Amino acid sequence: MLGTDTYRNFASFRGGPASPKLIAALAIMAWTAAAWAQPAVAPAPAAAPTVTQAPAPPAPAQPAASATAAVPADVAAADQNPVLLPEVDDPMLAPLPPPGSVLTSWQQALLLVRARSTSRASALAQVDRASAQARLALTTFYPTLTATGSVTQHLLFGRGFNVTSNGIQTNVDIPDPSAIWSARLSLRQPVLNLKSWHEHATSEVAQRAAQLKVEDVERLVLAAVADTIVAVVTAERLAEISRVSLRSSLSTLDLTRRRARLGASSAVDVLRAEQEVALNRAQLVGANESLRRAREALGMALGYPEAWGVTPDIRLDELGEDAKKVCTPLTGIDKRADVRAARTEVEVARRNVDSPDYRLAPTLDMVSDLNYSTSANTANGRPLQWTVGALLTIPLFDGGVRSAEKQLNSSQLTVAEQNLTQVKRQAQLEVVQATRSVSVAEENYQVSRHSRDISKETSRLARLSFLNGKGTSFELVDATRRYQQAELDLAVKEFEVVRARILALLARANCDI
């Protein structure tokens, strides 16, 4: 095949620089030989440097006829098969190993969250706590039954008389008997206790607020899981694009070095290609670390301390449809779980403000005692006694506890009201921003896609121009970098649309796992 060596030998044979016509003729002969040697649609990687040999000698600019004669075969081949650059092998081109656990479906994520989410478990524990407090307040309505027993042994005695069933004994040791046994069984039934009734109703309202918080926590947990799933898929896509970019830059570097050995490129071109490789390596290192962190974040969201991956079969466009199965869309923010929970907390705080006033309310209890004693001095003269009575208690002065407690609860009511206002504002803003973010994400995706298409065509033309010997390495590197950045930006924008749609759905819904 005719090439640079042929041209140099021929030029040295003539003893001087070649004319433009001679250069054009040699270029045509070289491309003709290449065309006969192999098909144009799939050139071998080794033939790529031959494409750039014609413009290599330091001669005047070639005529247009010679350029057009040399371009069509290679340009057509490059357009049909862009892989004209030599294949490269590098350890960094290998993808990250998959994690030990892989998420296969949205239903699996729901099962894991239901079983292992600490946020949901803590919210459910708060519901149990509120339920226990309600039951504790209810116990004041139930009767209480207590049993007591005692024994008394006298150690000092005197002389006197003792009355027994057989008569009066004189000049005996008293007391007699010296040991007295007694037992009591007491029953108490509250009849009127306004403060207990009020506190029980307040505890039921607090229990309802805790249940609403569980719904809001479940909504936030699902949003976090969906966000981390999308983040893992996005990170994997960015890592793959970074590997493709590194492979392309390594191929460009190899081609530039070949051209430099043939005299078609300078040392500056080689350094520029090496710098691009270094930048792509740093970009790939960052993309791999982002993927590791995204997998670890998904594992934490699912309740595991290790990294979790996402199966390639998962459909992100179906993620929103799966979320609708466990989340109910709302017509207004007043029905959202966090707003309802904050409103219920205001009701609890308002009832707590009224609670100290019931300290001065009277209470009425029914009491009954069953006593047994071995003492002879009993009310009925028998060992066994049974009494029934009523106990009325009227508080008169509590030392200022009521007013202090009322002031404390009033300040808590103010805090709860301000929290309700803040939650409503935040919810309204989240809904507005989430709705707007969908349209913004879609617009950004369209703009990024158009920019990617332009940069892709620019990179293709720059590569063909470089292979043909017309373009510079700077133009090739710059166009390639812009195309790589456009691909990364498009991948991010594509998944931002999915994320925005899911978050917009969850911002206007209540979820039940």
Side-chain angles (χ1 to χ4, degrees):
M1 180 183 297
L2 294 177
T4 303
D5 295 334
T6 305
Y7 165 77
R8 289 174 177 172
N9 294 334
F10 189 81
S12 61
F13 174 77
R14 293 194 53 175
S19 64
K21 293 183 178 181
L22 179 59
I23 296 175
L26 290 176
I28 295 174
M29 292 174 63
W31 282 107
T32 304
W36 280 99
Q38 58 184 359
V41 294
T50 309
V51 177
T52 61
Q53 299 311 311
Q62 299 181 3
S66 63
T68 55
V71 169
D74 181 59
V75 172
D79 200 13
Q80 296 296 328
N81 184 15
V83 190
L84 287 175
L85 295 177
E87 291 294 331
V88 293
D89 188 14
D90 190 274
M92 293 189 65
L93 296 177
L96 290 179
S101 303
V102 177
L103 184 67
T104 58
S105 64
W106 176 252
Q107 288 72 20
Q108 181 187 7
L110 294 180
L111 293 176
L112 293 175
V113 168
R114 186 182 297 115
R116 302 183 62 88
S117 175
T118 56
S119 300
R120 182 174 180 270
S122 298
L124 291 176
Q126 292 295 328
V127 174
D128 294 339
R129 178 175 179 271
S131 177
Q133 289 180 342
R135 184 174 179 82
L136 183 62
L138 186 63
T139 57
T140 57
F141 302 145
Y142 295 152
T144 57
L145 183 65
T146 58
T148 59
S150 64
V151 57
T152 303
Q153 174 65 49
H154 291 272
L155 300 178
L156 299 177
F157 299 94
R159 303 295 294 181
F161 65 92
N162 186 24
V163 180
T164 64
S165 58
N166 297 325
I168 300 177
Q169 298 177 349
T170 61
N171 197 22
V172 295
D173 293 335
I174 56 173
D176 185 24
S178 61
I180 300 175
W181 299 80
S182 63
R184 169 177 293 186
L185 189 64
S186 300
L187 176 66
R188 185 185 185 96
Q189 172 62 58
V191 178
L192 178 63
N193 194 332
L194 299 180
K195 181 175 175 59
S196 297
W197 295 350
H198 181 80
E199 290 180 351
H200 174 65
T202 302
S203 61
E204 289 183 341
V205 177
Q207 184 178 1
R208 188 167 66 253
Q211 293 173 348
L212 292 173
K213 288 182 178 180
V214 172
E215 295 182 10
D216 185 59
V217 168
E218 290 180 345
R219 179 182 67 87
L220 296 177
V221 168
L222 290 182
V225 171
D227 187 69
T228 51
I229 291 176
V230 176
V232 169
V233 177
T234 304
E236 290 179 349
R237 177 73 177 275
L238 295 180
E240 178 63 25
I241 294 175
S242 299
R243 286 192 295 271
V244 172
S245 300
L246 177 59
R247 183 183 300 274
S248 176
S249 61
L250 288 172
S251 300
T252 303
L253 174 61
D254 185 75
L255 178 61
T256 305
R257 287 174 176 172
R258 293 185 185 185
R259 289 168 57 92
R261 287 195 297 267
L262 297 174
S265 298
S266 63
V268 176
D269 296 333
V270 176
L271 292 176
R272 186 179 291 118
E274 291 178 348
Q275 183 180 12
E276 186 66 17
V277 170
L279 292 176
N280 285 328
R281 289 186 186 276
Q283 184 181 28
L284 180 56
V285 171
N288 287 338
E289 179 61 20
S290 298
L291 176 57
R292 295 188 189 96
R293 291 181 177 270
R295 289 174 174 176
E296 293 168 351
L298 176 59
M300 288 297 297
L302 296 176
Y304 290 87
E306 61 269 6
W308 270 67
V310 178
T311 178
D313 300 333
I314 197 168
R315 295 283 302 276
L316 292 183
D317 53 351
E318 296 179 356
L319 200 59
E321 297 298 328
D322 293 334
K324 290 181 180 179
K325 298 179 182 179
V326 294
C327 298
T328 305
L330 304 176
T331 57
I333 61 171
D334 290 337
K335 296 182 180 180
R336 213 170 78 164
D338 55 344
V339 178
R340 293 166 58 196
R343 186 182 296 110
T344 307
E345 288 180 344
V346 171
E347 183 180 355
V348 172
R350 188 174 289 113
R351 292 185 63 87
N352 288 334
V353 172
D354 300 333
S355 180
D357 295 335
Y358 291 93
R359 283 183 171 274
L360 300 180
T363 60
L364 178 63
D365 298 327
M366 298 297 296
V367 295
S368 179
D369 294 328
L370 181 62
N371 298 324
Y372 174 80
S373 177
T374 58
S375 175
N377 299 322
T378 59
N380 58 357
R382 296 180 179 181
L384 190 64
Q385 300 89 36
W386 187 12
T387 60
V388 177
L391 177 63
L392 177 63
T393 304
I394 302 177
L396 299 179
F397 181 69
D398 59 0
V401 175
R402 185 188 66 86
S403 58
E405 185 177 356
K406 193 175 185 67
Q407 182 181 1
L408 175 63
N409 294 340
S410 298
S411 62
Q412 294 177 350
L413 173 60
T414 303
V415 173
E417 291 175 342
Q418 296 302 318
N419 181 63
L420 173 61
T421 302
Q422 179 64 23
V423 170
K424 292 178 65 176
R425 292 175 181 175
Q426 186 68 27
Q428 184 176 1
L429 183 60
E430 286 180 2
V431 171
V432 173
Q433 291 180 346
T435 304
R436 186 176 66 245
S437 64
V438 176
S439 58
V440 172
E442 292 175 348
E443 293 176 0
N444 286 334
Y445 174 72
Q446 296 298 332
V447 173
S448 179
R449 184 177 181 180
H450 180 66
S451 176
R452 190 279 311 268
D453 294 340
I454 294 176
S455 61
K456 181 179 180 181
E457 180 66 14
T458 303
S459 177
R460 187 183 69 87
L461 295 177
R463 184 175 298 275
L464 293 178
S465 179
F466 179 77
L467 292 175
N468 190 38
K470 292 183 177 180
T472 64
S473 61
F474 175 79
E475 295 174 348
L476 175 61
V477 171
D478 183 68
T480 304
R481 182 188 299 115
R482 291 180 183 273
Y483 174 55
Q484 294 168 359
Q485 293 175 352
E487 282 288 354
L488 293 174
D489 183 70
L490 179 63
V492 173
K493 295 299 189 297
E494 179 181 359
F495 293 114
E496 282 182 355
V497 173
V498 179
R499 178 186 288 111
R501 290 174 179 174
I502 295 175
L503 295 182
L505 169 66
L506 297 178
R508 302 187 303 268
N510 287 334
C511 300
D512 184 13
I513 300 178

